Amino acid sequence: MALNITGRKLFVKALKEEGVDTIFAYPGGMITDIIDELYKTEGINVVLGRHEQALVHEAEGYARATGKTAVVLVTSGPGATNTITGIADAYYDSIPMVIFTGQVPLHLIGNDAFQEVDIVGMTRSITKYGVTVRNRDDMGKIIKMGFQIASTGKPGPVLIDIPKDIQTISGDPEYPEHVDIRGYHPNETVHIGQLKKAYRLLKTAKQPLLLAGGGVRIAGAEDKLVKFAEKMNIPVTTTIMAKGVMPEDHPLFIGNCGMHGRYAANKAVTECDVLFSIGTRFNDRITGELDEFAPKAKIVHVDIASASISRNVSVDVPVTADAKIALERLVEYAERIECKEWLTEIKAWEAEHPLSMPKSKIGVCPQDVCEAISEVFPNANIVTDVGQHQMWATQFIQLNKGQEFITSGGLGTMGFGFPAAIGASIGNPHKPVVLITGDGGFQMNMQEMATAMSNKHQIIICIFNNSNLGMVRQMQQLFYGKRYEITDLSSSDGHYYPDFMEWANSYSCKGIRITNDEEIKSALNEAKANKKGPTVLEFIVSPDDLVLPMVKSGTPLSDMILR
Amino acid sequence: MKNRWIALYVENQVGVLAKVSGLFSAKSYNLQTLTVGTTERDDVSRMTISVMADDATFEQIKKQLNAMVEVIKVIDLTTLPIHMKEILYAKVSALKPEGKTEAFQIAQVFNQGGNVKIVDIGEDSVLFECTLTERKNNELVALLKSRFKKIEVTRGGAVAVESISSSCR
Ligand SMILES: Cc1ncc(C[n+]2csc(CCOP(=O)(O)OP(=O)(O)O)c2C)c(N)n1
Ligand SMILES: [Mg+2]
């Protein structure tokens, strides 16, 4: 038998065997041993963030840009609690991630020791799996389980809590190649009978519609989806999490559906007779009022998580399967459906209410900015924060093949964007990243500028500054009699703080303020030329610009506010 | 809404009970009883859970439980032949002599093969120990409440196992 090794050595060995070359870490008392081991290790880039929440978002961006399982390492207590928002975000957007937290030594657990928190308990409902390592000899097995669980089936975050003494005790040197987990059997097949039934139903449709969710992207089934749609000649709508799975200029693509979806797409959902959905959990942003969702349609639902099926929307043909496995089969079956009238009808809806924003008197037009970004950066990964700017990005950014659209969909976490953009650039240093963020959300994690400066990758930080918490203000404008309580971010002295230009300068970073449409292109081009780090572009936007169409929460998709 | 029964094989580990019960509170499922104990294998526990739910919610609960890494197997007992018992203690106090006699009579009537006994007694109080089905226990409690003023009830929650050739639920 090989000689025993310490827990800290096994930790690094495990990372190496998992092929981890980058981890996102923030130090503290309960992980000093592991940190010290990392110092002695070559081949692992340890990214130091400036706040543990941001660290997790960075890891999310990294996972989205690379497809790899991201790794986070933080200390116990406050280090661990700071990660919670990030973990929840990763959980709701199914991002593969393993979070290691330090913990007080075993004998102190339960004593309310300094920086002791029950982080496994706190994150139980937002992790796929969470566990404290209580025996040094279980450590290898647990870490292996963590990576297996995080990355297979419906991916998600796994939290592994490692008490300080476990890190220094010697024990089993082996890191297993595979662990059998008797309670975990991700779906790797598809019930052919059920899939054929789904296909036959689709084949009978006169007004068919494909609805693709983020699961299609996670499964890497984009090409199969396009092929299936083409062979069958049926239109495709997507959720925000699936934005980009179909080229947006494809003649069968009709846009996003949902709360701020395209008029034609929401009409199509409402009028279709068979809705064939793949890899979506039908959350309320997609369905609007549930009772009136796709009222005329028989619904097929393909999803890897059987618990997502028939939870929100009752489904006529459920198929539990990975999107790629299902689509590979479906492409074999696919035969053309003649539905010319239906396609024409959808086109007419699009012509009736195309997506477009009126230009306001103040500042730049968000639509123009998004369109210019698509033009100047046809290959960049696009990352957004949460708010109006995010919805404009989903509406007006045109994605090409190979571009990721990285956004916080399930949790809608303000502060996600900037760190996620940094993580995406770390994962893919040669691809520019364009961040589209609001002035509010940006301020939730702007300390990460230091992280961005240390990594020197090209990030174009586009702050849509409407000096307001625009998305909430929009609700106040439309539904609360314009009573703008706590949504105005400018100061009582009339100034806006911070001055983003001076702020950028304090990081030795170039900042450009853009106040009218003529300046958009040149600013973007200037940022494009700066390949060695971030550029801050502050676009001044009118606080009165709205995201439309809008389906008010709790009303049917067909009730769209259009102007 | 109907009362449903599930048996659950789970990893016998720290936190598993919290995880399972947490699901019920987080998703507002109407948990009635939950019992847990070890099995013939040290590393596996078995839970018996009863929940009030409509068909769709119950399907969802089973799927959610199945999705948990720590859950090894979910068995829907709702329509299976099973044996099911619940332990119950009822302490009846402030009894007059006639009351005491009546308590013994009740025990006698409910008793079948030793599953209802009076196991302790004092000057003006008696202690029932019952191993009945949950429904029978409900009936007994209802009767005791209607006959006596001062009673204290402690129930263990039902434990169920699939039948071999007869059943009792
Ligand atoms: C952490 C967090 N807090 C609060 C909210 C609620 N919220 C959603 S959008 C929004 C306003 C965002 O403002 P800003 O970042 O300036 O973007 P804008 O809508 O103006 O484009 C708020 C407060 C949230 N989603 N996340
Ligand atoms: Mg704003």
Side-chain angles (χ1 to χ4, degrees), chain A residues 386-389 392 414 437-441 463-471 487 489 496 541 543:
Chain A
V386 169
Q388 287 184 309
H389 62 278
W392 288 320
M414 281 173 74
T437 179
D439 53 312
I463 305 172
F464 283 31
N465 190 353
N466 52 10
S467 64
N468 273 272
L469 299 170
M471 191 55 121
T487 45
L489 293 178
Y496 188 92
V541 171

Side-chain angles (χ1 to χ4, degrees), chain A residues 59-272:
Chain A
E60 290 185 89
Y62 176 86
R64 282 291 314 273
T66 60
K68 292 190 201 165
T69 301
V71 176
V72 173
L73 171 66
V74 297
T75 193
S76 66
T81 53
N82 267 350
T83 63
I84 288 179
T85 303
I87 295 175
D89 195 87
Y91 185 70
Y92 287 112
D93 284 344
S94 306
I95 292 180
M97 183 182 295
V98 180
I99 302 103
F100 293 96
T101 51
Q103 183 55 281
V104 300
L106 284 169
H107 70 276
L108 287 181
I109 291 182
N111 286 16
D112 288 352
F114 178 64
Q115 297 192 334
E116 178 198 353
V117 297
D118 173 18
I119 193 65
V120 172
M122 288 178 185
T123 55
R124 204 165 268 139
S125 59
I126 49 168
T127 48
K128 218 175 148 187
Y129 183 64
V131 63
T132 301
V133 181
R134 286 165 200 276
N135 277 307
R136 165 62 189 82
D137 282 346
D138 291 342
M139 185 171 167
K141 185 184 125 201
I142 288 176
I143 296 178
K144 183 75 221 181
M145 273 177 75
F147 277 92
Q148 278 177 209
I149 292 170
S151 62
T152 55
K154 181 175 181 144
V158 168
L159 188 139
I160 301 175
D161 191 38
I162 311 181
K164 187 168 171 76
D165 43 353
I166 297 282
Q167 300 166 30
T168 51
I169 298 172
S170 283
D172 190 350
E174 298 304 326
Y175 183 67
E177 241 170 67
H178 176 84
V179 178
D180 276 323
I181 310 165
R182 56 186 169 185
Y184 181 70
H185 308 284
N187 224 305
E188 279 157 5
T189 54
V190 53
H191 190 294
I192 296 295
Q194 199 65 3
L195 193 66
K196 284 198 169 145
K197 196 170 156 195
Y199 173 73
R200 281 196 298 270
L201 176 63
L202 179 61
K203 199 73 191 23
T204 63
K206 301 268 175 301
Q207 309 197 329
L209 183 63
L210 275 183
L211 167 59
V216 172
R217 178 177 48 68
I218 292 170
E222 294 93 333
D223 294 348
K224 296 277 177 278
L225 176 89
V226 174
K227 201 151 196 194
F228 181 53
E230 284 172 349
K231 275 183 89 175
M232 296 215 59
N233 187 41
I234 44 187
V236 178
T237 181
T238 52
T239 68
I240 282 168
M241 294 313 286
K243 183 178 168 65
V245 299
M246 186 147 189
E248 300 192 52
D249 52 4
H250 195 288
L252 287 170
F253 182 66
I254 65 168
N256 294 317
C257 61
M259 189 175 209
H260 294 295
R262 260 178 197 253
Y263 176 77
N266 282 348
K267 281 293 272 190
V269 171
T270 309
E271 297 298 327
C272 68

